[in-house]
Amino acid sequence: MRRLPTFRLTIALVAWSWIALEAPRMALFREIGLDEFTYAHGGWLNSQGEIPYRDFFFHHFPGALGLLSSVFRFGMTGSEALLALRLLMVLCFLGMLAICSRLSSRDFFFSLFTPLFLLVNEPFMGSMLSILPDSFALMFFLGSLLSYKRSPAA
């Protein structure tokens, strides 16, 4: 494995530190939309043992409700549950940025540019930090691309 110059490694650490600090700040200080309340309420109902389409009406695919209901299983309710859901979205977003970084380039230094460009793209970042199933879907899709790229058959 090649050794990275100290300057490039320092820039990489500063960039990832900035990303790790900026994403939670953007998630916690954004207003909460109506769709986010819908998914949070669906996650809460799912944590109470209710099943979508049978016990309550839910007009979206219910796959994300299982992931969102994990926050409510810890006994959180109200605003702390919404903040915890937003932090769950931040973890998903940071994982997505790491996967994009890994997919974009083999060079460690140049692989930083994809997450930085995604971070400054406000519509993308705003939708990925919201409590919506799009974040989970995109993260799982990118993860499957990464596993396909790393497989010996590819």
Side-chain angles (χ1 to χ4, degrees):
M1 185 168 163
R2 295 182 330 208
R3 291 185 50 98
L4 288 175
T6 308
F7 178 71
R8 291 174 81 180
L9 185 61
T10 304
I11 289 177
L13 290 175
V14 167
W16 275 106
S17 300
W18 182 72
I19 288 171
L21 292 173
E22 184 67 18
R25 188 188 71 79
M26 287 297 295
L28 295 178
F29 293 119
R30 289 175 51 94
E31 69 275 352
I32 296 176
L34 185 61
D35 284 346
E36 294 180 271
F37 280 118
T38 303
Y39 280 103
H41 182 68
W44 177 76
L45 287 172
N46 198 0
S47 72
Q48 301 298 316
E50 305 284 322
I51 298 173
Y53 307 129
R54 188 188 78 181
D55 297 327
F56 66 95
F57 175 72
F58 194 70
H59 58 281
H60 299 290
F61 294 117
L65 296 183
L67 295 170
L68 295 175
S69 67
S70 63
V71 169
F72 295 102
R73 294 183 201 271
F74 290 114
M76 294 184 200
T77 57
S79 61
E80 68 265 6
L82 288 173
L83 291 176
L85 287 171
R86 279 281 176 97
L87 289 177
L88 178 65
M89 294 295 116
V90 167
L91 291 176
C92 182
F93 182 69
L94 291 176
M96 189 183 333
L97 291 181
I99 292 171
C100 285
S101 172
R102 228 16 224 149
L103 284 171
S104 64
S105 177
R106 291 181 184 213
D107 188 288
F108 180 73
F109 182 71
F110 291 112
S111 67
L112 290 173
F113 290 112
T114 304
L116 287 175
F117 287 140
L118 289 176
L119 193 66
V120 298
N121 184 0
E122 206 284 323
F124 175 78
M125 187 175 64
S127 65
M128 291 298 115
L129 290 175
S130 298
I131 305 168
L132 298 172
D134 306 340
S135 305
F136 296 124
L138 189 56
M139 185 184 70
F140 290 140
F141 173 70
L142 291 173
S144 67
L145 284 179
L146 182 64
S147 67
Y148 177 74
K149 181 181 175 184
R150 301 180 112 206
S151 69

